């Protein structure tokens, strides 16, 4: 089985990215051929800092490794180091419907968020993502809820291409968790936790115990006192219960029973302790990796070579069937 997925180096990776996506990658790694990309060409579709981009790329690589991605088993690389991604994206642009791109939820959301700066790249983002996926004949794409629509569009594009030019691409399936596919913001639990939102709205994987304590302590809860999972009526507590459940591997029902007679404050204290404990290995591994930047550079360079080989094979097929 072939797996492909990626994360943008657009800010601090948070527990939403980890619980919904990176944890799936670690599990897939045991049973499949995996390719994990740092999608820097996606990150430049909204305003960004050129000076810190390389540092952010290295940080995402550290997170992959600190989370248990084994670069000897899986391919880890930076998208812009394999030029076939942009080549295939251009070709797929010629068969992608403009209407499909305009109705993408992320395009609408990000156009609103960056209304002064809507570039064509933001509209074409899903075509580049389809290229990323199809280039490796991917069978399964593990993502969070918000990226499901883009994987569905990649399937539509692959099917259209195959019917127009002949069987070329595998049709990828999406893998989205049943619980935890959308971790919500700590300060506004009606919105997803996001890398580019204010610091207090998310827990970063490398946050210190003090930061975790402060953020969980001030996380929005709901009126009432019961620790009950009810995302419609109690979105704040339901989000914290989901985070607790995924980090402790305990079902939400068991947590509701365990905290039945306790206050929000003692539940938050217990969640803080759990997060401090579970994120400690990430912080430790990061300080180890920070001492050896050449190690990460070597992994990314090796990964790009391995990815490029597979990407070139697909591009040869694509160009041939397109008459290029
Ligand atoms: N809150 C979330 N809960 C669960 N999954 C999430 N993902 C993102 N936010 C959550 C999933 O993480 C993967 C990588 O995300 P991305 O880098 O492609 O960017 P994004 O989806 O746009 O996520 P962010 O964190 O909100 O980044 P910015 O702020 O840069 O836009 C994807 O699989 C995504 O579904």
């Amino acid at each position: 089985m072939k797996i492909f997925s990626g994360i943008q180096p657009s800010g601090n990776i948070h527990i939403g990215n980890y619980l919904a996506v990176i944890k799936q990658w670690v599990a897939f790694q045991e049973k499949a051929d995996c390719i994990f990309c740092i999608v820097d060409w996606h990150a430049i579709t909204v305003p960004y800092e050129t000076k810190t981009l390389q540092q952010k790329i290295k940080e995402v690589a550290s997170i992959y490794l600190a989370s248990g991605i084994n670069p000897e088993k899986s391919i880890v690389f930076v998208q812009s180091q394999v030029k076939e991604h942009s080549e295939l994206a251009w070709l797929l642009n010629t068969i992608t419907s403009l209407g499909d791109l305009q109705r993408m939820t992320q395009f609408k959301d990000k156009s609103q968020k960056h209304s002064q700066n809507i570039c064509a790249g933001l509209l074409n983002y899903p075509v580049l993502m389809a290229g990323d996926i199809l280039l490796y004949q991917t069978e399964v794409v593990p993502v969070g809820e918000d990226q499901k629509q883009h994987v569905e569009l990649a399937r539509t594009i692959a099917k259209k291409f195959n019917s127009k030019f002949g069987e070329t691409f595998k049709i990828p399936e999406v893998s989205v968790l049943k619980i935890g596919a959308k971790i919500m913001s700590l300060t506004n639990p009606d919105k997803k936790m996001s890398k580019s939102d204010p610091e207090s709205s998310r827990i970063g994987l490398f946050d210190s115990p003090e930061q975790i304590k402060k953020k969980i302590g001030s996380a929005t809860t709901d009126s009432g006192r019961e620790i009950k999972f009810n995302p419609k009526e109690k979105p704040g507590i339901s989000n914290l219960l989901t985070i607790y459940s995924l980090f402790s591997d305990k079902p939400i029902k068991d947590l509701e029973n365990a905290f039945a007679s306790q206050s929000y404050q003692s539940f938050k204290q217990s969640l803080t302790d759990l997060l401090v404990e579970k994120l400690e290995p990430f912080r430790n591994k990061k300080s180890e990796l920070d001492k050896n930047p050449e190690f990460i550079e070597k992994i990314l360079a090796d990964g790009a070579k391995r990815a490029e080989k597979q990407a070139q094979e697909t591009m040869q097929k694509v160009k041939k069937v397109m008459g290029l």
Side-chain angles (χ1 to χ4, degrees):
M1 186 172 29
K2 178 65 78 67
I3 307 289
F4 178 95
S5 189
I7 294 186
Q8 302 180 69
S10 51
N12 295 329
I13 306 283
H14 51 70
I15 55 172
N17 302 126
Y18 173 71
L19 293 173
V21 185
I22 304 178
K23 243 180 124 184
Q24 287 201 67
W25 297 358
V26 177
F28 272 121
Q29 188 177 238
E30 297 308 314
K31 51 183 185 217
D33 289 336
C34 298
I35 304 182
F36 302 123
C37 190
I38 299 165
V39 287
D40 53 346
W41 276 337
H42 286 278
I44 62 171
T45 56
V46 291
Y48 70 102
E49 293 270 349
T50 52
K51 283 197 193 106
T52 54
L53 185 58
Q54 288 308 312
Q55 181 202 324
K56 284 184 175 162
I57 289 173
K58 302 282 154 48
E59 226 165 77
V60 176
S62 304
I63 285 186
Y64 288 5
L65 302 184
S67 308
I69 299 302
N70 175 356
E72 283 174 15
K73 247 186 191 167
S74 303
I75 297 178
V76 176
F77 77 107
V78 182
Q79 183 184 34
S80 60
Q81 292 184 3
V82 178
K83 63 178 180 350
E84 284 74 12
H85 286 255
S86 59
E87 201 177 8
L88 182 55
W90 178 256
L91 301 180
L92 297 179
N93 262 316
T94 64
I95 60 154
T96 304
S97 127
L98 179 60
D100 278 347
L101 295 177
Q102 284 167 329
R103 71 177 174 78
M104 291 291 113
T105 308
Q106 182 175 286
F107 173 66
K108 291 185 201 156
D109 290 350
K110 292 207 170 174
S111 307
Q112 254 182 11
K113 202 165 171 178
H114 304 283
S115 57
Q116 301 304 312
N117 219 322
I118 308 170
C119 66
L122 188 62
L123 179 72
N124 286 314
Y125 178 117
V127 188
L128 179 59
M129 181 163 158
D132 300 338
I133 296 168
L134 302 181
L135 203 46
Y136 299 99
Q137 303 293 352
T138 303
E139 290 163 277
V140 180
V141 189
V143 286
E145 182 68 38
D146 63 320
Q147 289 291 338
K148 202 170 147 192
Q149 194 183 33
H150 287 168
V151 181
E152 277 156 11
L153 182 58
R155 286 168 58 83
T156 305
I157 295 173
K159 285 182 191 161
K160 197 166 171 187
F161 189 100
N162 286 353
S163 78
K164 195 163 176 178
F165 299 109
E167 273 317 295
T168 307
F169 296 120
K170 287 244 168 81
I171 308 299
E173 298 289 334
V174 67
S175 169
V176 174
L177 294 183
K178 285 204 178 78
I179 294 174
K182 191 173 184 185
I183 300 295
M184 310 310 275
S185 154
L186 297 180
T187 46
N188 178 2
D190 293 326
K191 228 175 134 267
K192 75 160 190 156
M193 187 176 281
S194 182
K195 284 189 230 101
S196 49
D197 279 347
E199 179 67 37
S200 56
S201 66
R202 62 189 136 80
I203 304 277
L205 284 186
F206 299 142
D207 275 0
S208 67
E210 295 70 37
Q211 284 172 303
I212 295 171
K213 187 166 188 253
K214 196 165 166 216
K215 289 178 189 176
I216 295 295
S218 57
T220 305
T221 43
D222 316 284
S223 55
R225 321 156 135 251
E226 278 195 310
I227 301 181
K228 275 259 169 246
F229 185 79
N230 182 343
K232 269 210 179 112
E233 283 168 27
K234 296 173 86 70
I237 281 294
S238 302
N239 189 40
L240 297 182
L241 272 168
T242 304
I243 295 171
Y244 201 125
S245 164
L246 292 171
F247 270 111
S248 62
D249 286 323
K250 288 185 185 151
I252 288 180
K253 267 271 154 264
D254 290 6
L255 296 173
E256 285 177 336
N257 292 336
F259 288 100
S261 56
Q262 297 194 35
S263 64
Y264 284 167
Q265 200 192 354
S266 63
F267 171 65
K268 280 180 162 185
Q269 182 57 53
S270 177
L271 177 59
T272 301
D273 294 343
L274 176 72
L275 289 174
V276 168
E277 180 204 326
K278 295 290 178 181
L279 297 185
E280 190 186 1
F282 290 89
R283 290 189 297 275
N284 294 345
K285 184 80 182 163
K286 166 112 172 42
S287 25
E288 215 179 278
L289 290 166
D290 283 350
K291 287 183 205 136
N292 192 356
E294 295 81 24
F295 177 66
I296 290 197
E297 275 160 29
K298 187 175 171 311
I299 284 168
L300 296 177
D302 286 352
K305 264 196 222 140
R306 289 160 69 197
E308 188 179 46
K309 196 162 165 280
Q310 295 188 28
Q312 285 174 346
E313 278 169 26
T314 302
M315 281 316 295
Q316 270 180 9
K317 271 195 208 163
V318 169
K319 286 183 187 166
K320 191 162 174 223
V321 297
M322 290 186 81
L324 291 163

